[in-house]
Amino acid sequence: MDDTRRRLRGLPALPGLALTASLALGATAASAQELVWARYGDIDSLDPHRATSTLSMQVWDQIYDTLLAFDMEGNPGPNMAESWEASEDGLEYTFTLNDGIMCHDGSPFDANDVKFTIDRAFGDTPSLTKTSWGPITDVTVVDPLTFKVTLASKFGAFLPFLADSFSSMICDSNTAETFGSTTAIGTGPFSLDEWVKGSEVALSKNPDYVNYGEPYDNEGAPHIDRLLIRTVPEAQTRLAALRTGEVHIAEPPFDDIEAIKEAGELEIMVAENTGQDVFWEFTTSRAPFDDIRARQAVAYATDPQMAIDIIYGGLTNREWCPVARGVFGNDQEFCKQYGYEYDPEKAKALLAEMGYGPDDPLETTMFVWTGGNRHKLAEIFQSQLAQVGIDAGIEIMDIGTMNARVKAQNEDTTSDEPGTFDMMTWSWYDPDILYQLWHSPGAYSGYQSPELDAMLEETRTTIDPDARLQKVQAVIKYLMENAVHIGLYSPGWEWVFAVRPEVEGFKVGPFLHPNFLDVTVVSGG
Amino acid sequence: MIHSSSTAELADDLATASAPRKRSFWRALLASPSGLIGLVIVAVLIFAALTAPVIAPYDPLRMAAGPRLDAPSTSYLMGTDDFGRDVLSRIIYGARLTLQIGVIAVGISLSCGLLLGLVAGYSSGWTERVLMRLVDVLFSFTEIVIALACLAIFGVGLTNAMIAIGIASIPFYARVTHSVVLVEKGKPYFEAAVAAGAGHLRLIFLHLLPNVVPTLIVIGTLGVSTAILAAAGLSFLGLGAQPPQPEWGFMLSSSRDLISRAPWMMIFPGLAIATTVLGFNLLGDGIREALDPRQTDR
Amino acid sequence: MGKFILQRLLAALVTIWIATIAVTILIHLVPGDPVRIMYGSFQTTPEELEAIRVRLGLDQPIWTQYLMYLERLVQGDLGRSIVGDQPVLDVLLTRFPATLALTVSSLAIAIVVGMSLGFLAAYKRGTWVDVGAMVLAIVGVSMPHFWLGLLLLFLFALQLQWLPVAGGDWRSLLLPALTLGLANAAVLARLTRSAMIDIFDQDFIRTARAKGLPRSIVLYRHALRSGLVPVVSMLGLQFAYLMGGAIVIENVFAWNGVGRLAIEAVLSRDYPLIQGFILFFATVVALASVVIDIAYAFLDPRIRYS
């Protein structure tokens, strides 16, 4: 608001000019358009190579841009990269960039920045999602607008990855120590003003932004001037703030959604095609889950449909597949054939076979990560498991810790403690996630087999869509029959938004990327 | 975690009182209003804990025992929670956990703190100075930080939280014991025993210890309330009790999302904690008054 | 006076030094391999873990590690957090002012409310005022302060909507400060009452009264100042307790201070952050005690020589 007023004061006092100027600026002069988006947590880092949380990713989307972009159906298309060519053997890709892209600090964005980003991802402190880039061996700058990427083997998910936030392009002027902590220079629709840790990420619109390939109406800079992304951990508090207008967009408490819809005070938006999958996975390196019957018992004993009905109403869906709706390879009918319908009797029978019974329950621990009301689902599952004779303690922790502990559990083959299982969640736009999870050594050092490895490699190296579908479905069948990766529901976190009536144009892109390009705040916010 | 008196003041008060006689102690305790009320509350807590399976109307873990988020009614005196579990039954079973917490945490702090304080107070010179310096430094970290450090090392959970609180309060008990021992050392009976040639162990356990005990009973009782508050706080933060344990602090944290829709989920567990802690505080005050009749109008 | 200040500073330094030893030991008390626990996450390979181990110096003997830690400490480097790889000191410093604001304002409220109540109770000893005040005090001491916070939040922010729920300005400080302050006021009330009763009983007060001095002068100049002495001596301790209490209250009100950070760190086993927090906390409390002791010594010269 202050900036606008200062600019107005500088205008000449000539009546005609002033009138025209004030008419032209009329729309924005009333108040600088500021949008406040409240979420339950803060980002972990401004550096796309140092975090994996959805909370972080959604902010990277605003500051950075990607070479390719997904359309609303989830297919990757040109964005910062105007075009590309793949070599015959699929090992070399040559990209041509759009001309004139600017970084937030005024330096030009060109092929050198791309090389900088990719080299950094594979460098001394590699990106946390290094493996997702694929088997890249080299990036060569041909000229400022052209570069070549060389792969060691064919990688079917390469182009989709270049549309994903983890491949966000980092300008090569980000060499300061403060990068990721207090500074971040990108080419996205918003530039970073300030990150007040634990409280707020303040962004300003990037006037030089050009929308080359994102599926939104606005082809240039955002309409709003400032985007404030605030951390408000309590759902009730977010709801109260939405009602008073302190906040424009936020996830409401699930229990209040019906009431909100009825009152009509806020608009409820439910994202689709989120690519999110919530699934059971197990510590297969030791008892009890080294035995397939124990894993299957857990699957038979739990009823995800009932649990999600209670906790989420109709807002989420039962997901039978290890990859979510909207992702290549997903097919509910196909997956259901190999799935485990709720059947406590079968669970009990399997446990009895293993030697467990009412006097000798199977003891284990369930890991769950915070947020999305998952702790409540966990309690319901715990109760269902108790009914068949599985005594599952619950441990709730944040996602980073859970990743580490799952891995630690899998790698521990000698402990006397019973193996654990967890409600893991991954959101991915391509079945390549299965490769990342289950191909040895495995993201969490979990279940592995040479058979599975071979099948997974084929999913990566097969480019032809129909052939690839066969390969992917073979993997899905294997994972489900062996009770290794058991889909529960999708979507699972941060997919519901309550939006104030004066906000227009808020959209959520595929794979849960909230976007603000088209947003305007009517009636002067 | 806030202790209600300075250690020196308490030690001073109690050390100067003569050893109580049993019958007059109980009479004095029951005569003081705080002692009486405190005793009643604590008795109710113990009763509830012991007879929980009998007096609780429902299984505290049973989901859908009633409709979800049902307001208090004749069938569910304290309402139901978001899983349809009966809040009253959970509160009653929670009494067991509360009692456990109090006993275990105070047990740990008392025994270790007592030993430390006795040894430090008895030996003078360097041993005493170094030990008490260490104790003072640990004390200045505050109990919650020590508890957090313990949880960071061993992981979260109710048992770990009890132990963490126990460890965190050791400096406090050590300081009180040390103060009392210093006072006792100056008394005629002790000097006489030393002159008579009593050995170290005799002096510590036969002479000092019995005179330290009254103080520690008071501190321990008050300490139970501190431990209960601390455990509730840690559980509230997600560092203590885990689902589905009906621990009162944990029940409070579950109620946060539903404050508007189901205020009874927040009111009753809080009331339970406050009443129990009040009971132990009153009882502690009452015991202190009973042990030292001079202090009646404190 | 100079010697007194020096003594106190030295004591604080010893506390901080012991804290550095404690935090260095802490990570070695963790069962299992700390590097794996901290960094063994999605997609990290054993080679990467080894590189991290060497980079952090965790392959060195503990003495070397301690010296390395001190060396980095002196340069202001507290390491980087596991979650998001953020510089620990930076993270702590940005959130500390919020905690300080909360602690100081709570202390102010506790002092004003608690001491007034205690003084009043002592002055009107035996009457209904006394009994009422002490009942209030003991209930206040027994009540879980986070429950009080929830009640206040429910009443004032959600139901009546008098106060904003989010944001960091003074209005959103009001409820948390009130919660923490009132909880501590109960403690101070009891302490003040005891101290003042002692004073009122003393000879010099009766002498002053007998001399015919007006009651107000007796109260303010003699009784209050002497009575304040034992209570003020406790202020350092109260400050520490309040900093500890802030840890929970910040969580209730989502106040963006170091307390909330500490809880998140413990839940995510972010050891560099936990170590940084403990050291930071110990340092702040130690320095605050020095400041309070020095201020107190100005007021009461007698203690400089004790």
Side-chain angles (χ1 to χ4, degrees):
Chain A
M1 193 163 300
D2 293 321
D3 284 341
T4 318
R5 291 224 188 88
R6 261 184 255 130
R7 272 186 242 128
L8 279 173
R9 259 189 258 128
L11 288 171
L14 294 168
L17 211 59
L19 197 59
T20 328
S22 62
L23 281 174
L25 288 161
T28 51
S31 62
Q33 295 236 312
E34 207 176 73
L35 187 81
V36 181
W37 175 28
R39 312 179 310 167
Y40 79 92
D42 194 16
I43 61 174
D44 292 337
S45 175
L46 292 163
D47 180 346
H49 296 169
R50 299 255 67 82
T52 59
S53 65
T54 303
L55 287 169
S56 306
M57 197 188 74
Q58 291 176 337
V59 173
W60 301 336
D61 285 341
Q62 317 305 327
I63 302 176
Y64 304 102
D65 209 351
T66 45
L67 291 172
L68 274 62
F70 290 113
D71 65 18
M72 277 309 194
E73 280 74 54
N75 302 309
N79 190 31
M80 290 209 287
E82 176 199 49
S83 62
W84 57 89
E85 259 173 34
S87 65
E88 273 287 314
D89 54 7
L91 298 180
E92 241 180 48
Y93 287 78
T94 310
F95 292 86
T96 311
L97 292 170
N98 278 301
D99 195 4
I101 304 177
M102 303 293 286
C103 291
H104 296 145
D105 64 344
S107 63
F109 177 86
D110 55 32
N112 291 303
D113 299 281
V114 178
K115 183 170 168 62
F116 173 78
T117 305
I118 301 181
D119 282 350
R120 191 172 181 276
F122 286 86
D124 291 329
T125 35
S127 165
L128 292 184
T129 44
K130 183 181 79 171
T131 318
S132 321
W133 285 90
I136 297 179
T137 52
D138 181 65
V139 179
T140 319
V141 175
V142 175
D143 61 57
L145 293 181
T146 322
F147 63 94
K148 200 159 56 168
V149 179
T150 318
L151 304 169
S153 54
K154 282 200 285 190
F155 181 35
F158 181 56
L159 290 176
F161 182 69
L162 294 177
D164 181 70
S165 313
F166 287 120
S167 72
S168 289
M169 285 293 135
I170 307 170
C171 292
D172 58 12
S173 42
N174 280 305
T175 46
E177 266 282 304
T178 55
F179 173 58
S181 178
T182 47
T183 60
I185 305 168
T187 58
F190 293 92
S191 62
L192 178 71
D193 277 348
E194 197 188 2
W195 175 25
V196 182
K197 296 186 175 58
S199 177
E200 179 181 85
V201 179
L203 305 172
S204 285
K205 86 168 175 200
N206 171 14
D208 302 319
Y209 180 73
V210 176
N211 177 6
Y212 290 105
E214 300 278 358
Y216 305 103
D217 303 325
N218 188 353
E219 292 185 3
H223 303 301
I224 56 177
D225 299 293
R226 292 194 89 209
L227 176 60
L228 302 171
I229 305 176
R230 292 208 176 123
T231 302
V232 181
E234 285 300 306
Q236 284 297 330
T237 313
R238 291 196 295 273
L239 183 58
L242 277 167
R243 287 184 169 140
T244 59
E246 280 172 69
V247 160
H248 296 104
I249 302 175
E251 181 185 68
F254 284 101
D255 280 304
D256 288 288
I257 289 179
E258 279 310 311
I260 294 173
K261 277 189 184 165
E262 262 170 61
E265 44 183 339
L266 302 164
E267 189 197 330
I268 301 287
M269 281 182 64
V270 181
E272 293 176 352
N273 280 6
T274 57
Q276 295 179 339
D277 196 57
V278 186
F279 55 95
W280 288 132
E281 59 169 13
F282 306 87
T283 303
T284 51
S285 53
R286 59 181 199 279
F289 295 116
D290 53 350
D291 187 326
I292 186 178
R293 292 172 298 182
R295 308 198 289 268
Q296 290 176 331
V298 168
Y300 281 123
T302 50
D303 184 1
Q305 188 67 62
M306 177 181 120
I308 62 180
D309 283 341
I310 293 178
I311 303 294
Y312 298 118
L315 292 166
T316 183
N317 310 293
R318 179 80 173 90
E319 178 55 65
W320 290 97
C321 298
V323 291
R325 274 176 183 67
V327 179
F328 180 80
N330 175 281
D331 184 339
Q332 294 302 317
E333 291 311 312
F334 176 79
C335 296
K336 207 167 169 182
Q337 297 169 49
Y338 307 103
Y340 301 90
E341 291 258 21
Y342 177 57
D343 193 338
E345 295 310 312
K346 252 195 185 147
K348 285 188 202 164
L350 284 167
L351 289 169
E353 257 181 64
M354 287 179 72
Y356 295 102
D359 301 321
D360 185 19
L362 188 155
E363 286 187 9
T364 179
T365 310
M366 186 198 312
F367 291 161
V368 180
W369 67 279
T370 45
N373 272 357
R374 263 180 307 283
H375 58 293
K376 294 200 179 169
L377 276 161
E379 281 201 65
I380 295 182
F381 288 140
Q382 182 186 49
S383 173
Q384 292 172 337
L385 289 168
Q387 281 165 23
V388 305
I390 298 177
D391 210 353
I394 297 178
E395 281 198 42
I396 304 177
M397 60 200 88
D398 78 293
I399 183 60
T401 311
M402 191 166 101
N403 283 340
R405 291 194 62 192
V406 167
K407 195 165 173 139
Q409 283 288 324
N410 282 326
E411 288 172 358
D412 190 343
T413 46
T414 54
S415 169
D416 294 325
E417 300 279 313
T420 59
F421 68 110
D422 52 276
M423 215 194 300
M424 181 53 81
T425 61
W426 263 103
S427 167
W428 212 256
Y429 48 85
D430 186 275
D432 193 55
I433 184 66
L434 298 177
Y435 181 98
Q436 293 176 50
L437 288 171
W438 304 114
H439 187 283
S440 55
Y444 302 110
S445 311
Y447 181 93
Q448 292 158 43
S449 82
E451 209 188 322
L452 184 59
D453 276 359
M455 290 164 63
L456 285 167
E457 271 150 38
E458 289 189 354
T459 66
R460 263 204 168 180
T461 55
T462 312
I463 311 283
D464 170 57
D466 292 322
R468 192 168 181 235
L469 183 63
Q470 303 276 10
K471 308 289 183 192
V472 169
Q473 288 192 331
V475 168
I476 289 178
K477 174 167 179 268
Y478 184 94
L479 288 173
M480 292 186 71
E481 281 182 335
N482 286 289
V484 168
H485 180 147
I486 302 176
L488 292 172
Y489 63 98
S490 165
W493 59 100
E494 298 158 57
W495 80 102
V496 181
F497 300 87
V499 184
R500 283 195 60 83
E502 65 263 23
V503 176
E504 286 180 4
F506 174 63
K507 298 181 184 143
V508 182
F511 312 121
L512 199 60
H513 294 280
N515 190 284
F516 300 89
L517 279 174
D518 291 340
V519 171
T520 52
V521 182
V522 178
S523 80
Chain B
M1 302 179 221
I2 300 174
H3 289 281
S4 46
S5 311
S6 73
T7 59
E9 178 195 277
L10 255 178
D12 202 37
D13 288 348
L14 288 149
T16 50
S18 47
R21 307 196 51 210
K22 212 158 184 210
R23 208 158 51 116
S24 64
F25 167 74
W26 281 105
R27 270 223 232 120
L29 181 64
L30 291 168
S32 76
S34 33
L36 187 60
I37 300 176
L39 202 59
V40 167
I41 295 177
V42 172
V44 168
L45 176 78
I46 297 178
F47 176 74
L50 290 176
T51 61
V54 175
I55 59 175
Y58 301 91
D59 175 354
L61 303 180
R62 188 163 145 236
M63 298 193 176
R68 285 182 72 214
L69 301 171
D70 203 31
S73 61
T74 41
S75 348
Y76 311 100
L77 288 172
M78 289 186 180
T80 60
D81 68 7
D82 51 340
F83 290 118
R85 295 181 294 208
D86 178 39
V87 175
L88 175 62
S89 308
R90 286 173 69 76
I91 299 256
I92 294 175
Y93 271 86
R96 297 192 142 178
L97 293 173
T98 306
L99 212 56
Q100 259 181 45
I101 292 165
V103 169
I104 294 178
V106 173
I108 295 175
S109 348
L110 202 62
S111 44
C112 299
L114 178 61
L115 207 61
L116 210 58
L118 274 177
V119 169
Y122 177 74
S123 38
S124 13
W126 278 109
T127 325
E128 182 192 13
R129 269 212 285 249
V130 167
L131 272 178
M132 289 319 289
R133 201 73 191 81
L134 210 61
V135 165
D136 278 346
V137 168
L138 288 173
F139 188 71
S140 73
F141 283 1
T142 79
E143 289 165 3
I144 191 162
V145 170
I146 300 178
L148 285 180
C150 293
L151 290 171
I153 296 171
F154 298 114
V156 303
L158 192 58
T159 324
N160 288 357
M162 289 188 225
I163 298 174
I165 294 168
I167 294 176
S169 298
I170 292 175
F172 176 72
Y173 289 89
R175 284 179 75 168
V176 174
T177 312
H178 176 248
S179 297
V180 177
V181 166
L182 286 185
V183 171
E184 292 297 308
K185 270 167 77 172
K187 289 195 180 164
Y189 78 87
F190 187 77
E191 287 172 358
V194 171
H200 294 305
L201 286 177
R202 256 186 102 86
L203 283 171
I204 294 181
F205 290 106
L206 271 164
H207 295 278
L208 287 176
L209 185 58
N211 289 292
V212 171
V213 163
T215 314
L216 286 173
I217 293 179
V218 178
I219 304 278
T221 311
L222 294 172
V224 171
S225 57
T226 312
I228 293 173
L229 279 176
L234 289 174
S235 298
F236 178 79
L237 295 170
L239 299 168
Q242 300 290 311
Q245 291 175 303
E247 200 269 345
W248 298 336
F250 181 68
M251 288 169 73
L252 273 178
S253 77
S254 312
S255 77
R256 288 171 77 173
D257 246 8
L258 298 153
I259 290 186
S260 320
R261 279 190 62 184
W264 54 91
M265 280 179 71
M266 188 235 320
I267 293 174
F268 292 114
L271 220 50
I273 300 174
T275 315
T276 307
V277 172
L278 183 67
F280 279 100
N281 275 339
L282 287 174
L283 185 59
D285 273 357
I287 294 178
R288 187 200 335 198
E289 282 175 32
L291 286 176
D292 186 13
R294 201 174 56 116
Q295 306 284 332
T296 37
D297 72 0
R298 286 289 179 115
Chain C
M1 185 65 172
K3 186 168 168 224
F4 178 77
I5 296 180
L6 213 63
Q7 260 182 357
R8 284 289 180 266
L9 277 176
L10 216 63
L13 228 62
V14 170
T15 305
I16 297 172
W17 174 59
I18 293 182
T20 59
I21 298 181
V23 301
T24 311
I25 296 176
L26 186 140
I27 197 161
H28 292 275
L29 291 174
V30 175
D33 173 13
V35 178
R36 193 133 58 95
I37 291 172
M38 295 194 287
Y39 297 98
S41 185
F42 182 70
Q43 294 182 2
T44 25
T45 62
E47 299 79 38
E48 283 161 10
L49 282 180
E50 276 316 301
I52 294 173
R53 193 189 308 273
V54 169
R55 181 161 51 94
L56 294 178
L58 284 170
D59 54 337
Q60 307 279 350
I62 196 166
W63 303 114
T64 325
Q65 285 188 41
Y66 179 61
L67 290 172
M68 284 169 67
Y69 184 71
L70 280 184
E71 193 189 324
R72 285 194 293 246
L73 196 64
V74 168
Q75 296 171 14
D77 177 10
L78 282 172
R80 300 185 82 102
S81 71
I82 297 173
V83 175
D85 194 42
Q86 299 295 325
V88 171
L89 186 62
D90 192 45
V91 171
L92 288 170
L93 283 178
T94 40
R95 292 159 96 141
F96 178 59
T99 302
L100 194 62
L102 180 59
T103 309
V104 169
S105 44
S106 314
L107 191 60
I109 293 176
I111 290 175
V112 167
V113 174
M115 287 173 79
S116 316
L117 207 65
F119 187 81
L120 197 64
Y123 186 62
K124 301 266 184 190
R125 189 205 319 185
T127 65
W128 282 112
V129 176
D130 181 18
V131 174
M134 283 303 103
V135 165
L136 216 63
I138 199 165
V139 167
V141 163
S142 311
M143 198 190 264
H145 50 316
F146 50 94
W147 186 52
L148 177 63
L150 283 179
L151 288 170
L152 290 178
L153 184 65
F154 176 55
L155 191 61
F156 290 106
L158 294 178
Q159 289 291 83
L160 299 175
Q161 301 208 348
W162 284 356
L163 296 165
V165 286
D169 61 0
W170 70 268
R171 279 174 306 166
S172 35
L173 177 59
L174 193 60
L175 278 183
L178 211 63
T179 308
L180 204 52
L182 289 179
N184 219 50
V187 175
L188 278 181
R190 288 177 29 128
L191 279 175
T192 310
R193 181 180 177 277
S194 299
M196 293 312 300
I197 285 179
D198 265 347
I199 297 296
F200 284 146
D201 277 349
Q202 288 193 18
D203 288 342
F204 80 92
I205 294 290
R206 285 190 275 184
T207 315
R209 294 292 308 277
K211 281 205 290 189
L213 286 174
R215 215 190 233 178
S216 50
I217 297 194
V218 172
L219 274 178
Y220 297 130
R221 281 180 58 192
H222 298 272
L224 194 63
R225 274 177 60 185
S226 315
L228 281 182
V229 165
V231 185
V232 170
S233 70
M234 293 279 289
L235 274 186
L237 214 61
Q238 295 303 317
F239 182 83
Y241 282 140
L242 281 172
M243 285 263 301
I247 292 177
V248 183
I249 293 299
E250 283 180 15
N251 189 279
V252 175
F253 293 95
W255 185 250
N256 194 30
V258 294
R260 223 180 91 204
L261 181 67
I263 303 302
E264 286 166 16
V266 173
L267 282 170
S268 48
R269 297 200 178 178
D270 197 334
Y271 290 110
L273 199 51
I274 295 171
Q275 290 171 307
F277 171 76
I278 293 176
L279 189 59
F280 191 80
F281 189 93
T283 307
V284 169
V285 167
L287 291 177
S289 300
V290 173
V291 167
I292 291 176
D293 280 351
I294 293 177
Y296 175 37
F298 264 121
L299 296 174
D300 185 359
R302 286 179 298 170
I303 72 148
R304 292 181 215 168
Y305 305 105
S306 65

